[in-house]
Amino acid sequence: MMMMTENPTRRLSPRKAANPRVVSARGRIVGWMILLVALALSVEVVVASQILIGRAEAELKEELVHEGDKLRDYAERAVDPETGVPYTTVEALLTSYLGVAIPDSNETLFSLIEGRPSRRAREQPMMRLDTDEVFLSTLSVGTSPTSGRDSSSEGPVHWAVFPVTVEGDPTNGALVVIEFVAPVREHVNSTIQMLAIISAIALALAGVASWQVAGRVLAPIRTLQRTASAIGQQDLQQRIAVTGRDDVAALAYTFNAMLDRLEDAFTGQQRFLDDASHELRTPITVIRGHLELMGDDPGDRQRTLELVVDELRRMDRLVDDLALLARAERPDFIRRSEIYVSDLLMDVLAKASALGERKWALDGLPDQAAMIDGQRLTQALVQLAANAVRYTEPGDRISFGATVMGDRLALTVTDEGTGIPEEDRPGIFDRFARAGHRGDGGRRGEGAGLGLAIVASIAHAHGGRVTLDSALNRGSTFTLDFPLIQAPAEGTDSTSNSAARRVHV
């Protein structure tokens, strides 16, 4: 047997954890029980699917018979609306019936006069089989109803031909009813899929129940459970000391290895949660602000919809990238494409204007194309704008600008806020660093202190850096400075810095 103590100093290596040769009795019991339940549920799903498919096929055939009965009832009571007497020709009777018949979505009706298609029900069918010469050649028109099964580009079909005669008219006519199998099969398949999902859930529940029962049977594991329960998320460094090579010892080895992984995962998870809660707040505010301001103008609604969709795409990227940012940088952190700097800043301005009632402006818009990641730089600039809003008052000015200096591009965000104290500037771009703004009672910035770290990561990924120029009670300017990479396209003007404009919102 094994002995267990809460000794954090004894750590067993993963190599030793793989050595026990005994097979866990608990795992064997649970495995057999899950296997039996899975076998039973599989048989249930297979049998149920066969029954549902057979029932669906039978219902299609019954529908064919039903259409024949409806035609018969109509022929017995229908009269020509012009003469007020029963129809005297086969073609008139079938045309009148097809005019009032409403086929189902998986059904189509058409008439045959002397073996050739004449009229079709008004509902658009899944496929025009009345124009398919190959299909028409398979129909058998006689003196009594006939039916069959055939294939088409929309899948299998069931068909029936109901001959129609009118006393005094020698014309040979018939009504053709076609039932498409594919829509019914889709409905059956969705039912089978739902049954499979329910069976999978039942299998999972059976596995949980089996695990609990096996745990009660294997009483020594209770000791391990009581010891393991003392290890919480605040004490993940504690491990279970293990001796022996039986089932419980093997589980203890595995548990210690799992704690090693959990300790690493918990740190990364905590950082991810801090990053996500901080970073997703800004795009949600942008979306909510624009939706609240959206009017009834179709153009305005379309522009707002495009902006919201773009922000949702950016949020999707944020969730994926923040998880990676908590671990390390990756080569594909940015995805360069040719973007005009002026278009980028005007897009950022449109999004940032929903963050607060400020005097939003654009200073210096070079007509310059560059190979940059528009979404990443939008993320950085909007983050800086959100910080500026936090430390300015309604009516204060916040501006975006760009400057091309030789082979470098500088993007700036300037505000007229309270400024950042000098003692808070060192390390302001580090993770979890939060600068306090004086002039507001010394309160510190809200959030986890990850926004400026993410901005710095984006600037670094572009081969540059982010700098701060701030003065108390006069405002701050954040500058993203990085090499200008021009696209290899004709007509690109890298010296168009003179086209600076100034736009106020």
Side-chain angles (χ1 to χ4, degrees), residues 262-280 318-319 321-329 430-433 447-451 453-454 457:
L262 284 178
E263 185 178 0
D264 295 335
F266 180 75
T267 302
Q269 181 191 51
Q270 190 63 45
R271 174 173 290 184
F272 169 77
L273 291 176
D274 291 338
D275 285 359
S277 63
H278 178 278
E279 191 65 18
L280 292 179
L318 286 176
V319 172
D321 293 339
L322 286 176
L324 185 62
L325 191 60
R327 300 191 298 270
E329 296 181 355
D430 296 337
R431 289 192 177 189
F432 305 105
L450 295 168
I454 294 173
S457 297

Side-chain angles (χ1 to χ4, degrees), residues 85 155 302 304 306 409 451:
V85 298
Q302 180 62 29
T304 302
E306 293 175 355
L409 173 64

Side-chain angles (χ1 to χ4, degrees), residues 353-433:
S353 61
L355 296 175
E357 296 181 1
R358 303 293 187 271
K359 291 181 179 179
W360 298 95
L362 293 176
D363 295 333
L365 287 179
D367 189 19
Q368 174 69 57
M371 294 299 295
I372 55 179
D373 188 328
Q375 288 190 343
R376 287 296 178 206
L377 290 176
T378 297
Q379 176 186 350
L381 294 174
V382 172
Q383 178 61 60
L384 292 175
N387 289 345
V389 169
R390 187 177 301 132
Y391 299 109
T392 55
E393 301 296 334
D396 288 346
R397 187 174 186 273
I398 301 176
S399 63
F400 301 95
T403 304
V404 176
M405 299 174 293
D407 60 349
R408 300 193 70 83
L409 173 64
L411 304 176
T412 60
V413 179
T414 304
D415 65 71
E416 298 177 346
T418 57
I420 299 175
E422 189 166 351
E423 63 269 20
D424 288 333
R425 296 174 194 173
I428 192 174
F429 298 107
D430 296 337
R431 289 192 177 189
F432 305 105

Side-chain angles (χ1 to χ4, degrees), residues 140-216:
S140 175
V141 181
T143 58
S144 59
T146 58
S147 61
R149 179 187 176 95
D150 208 339
S151 60
S152 68
S153 60
E154 292 294 336
V157 296
H158 288 281
W159 58 266
V161 179
F162 300 96
V164 177
T165 59
V166 174
E167 186 176 354
D169 182 9
T171 303
N172 293 322
L175 175 69
V176 179
V177 181
I178 299 174
E179 301 285 343
F180 293 94
V181 180
V184 179
R185 282 285 181 86
E186 292 178 359
H187 179 70
V188 172
N189 290 338
S190 64
T191 303
I192 295 173
Q193 291 176 0
M194 181 61 65
L195 181 61
I197 293 174
I198 294 174
S199 299
I201 295 175
L203 181 61
L205 294 177
V208 173
S210 300
W211 188 263
Q212 296 297 327
V213 172
R216 294 185 179 183

Side-chain angles (χ1 to χ4, degrees), residues 303-317:
R303 288 189 296 271
T304 302
L305 177 61
E306 293 175 355
L307 184 143
V308 169
V309 171
D310 183 64
E311 283 297 292
L312 290 175
R313 291 196 190 101
R314 188 162 67 89
M315 289 173 64
D316 183 62
R317 282 188 62 184

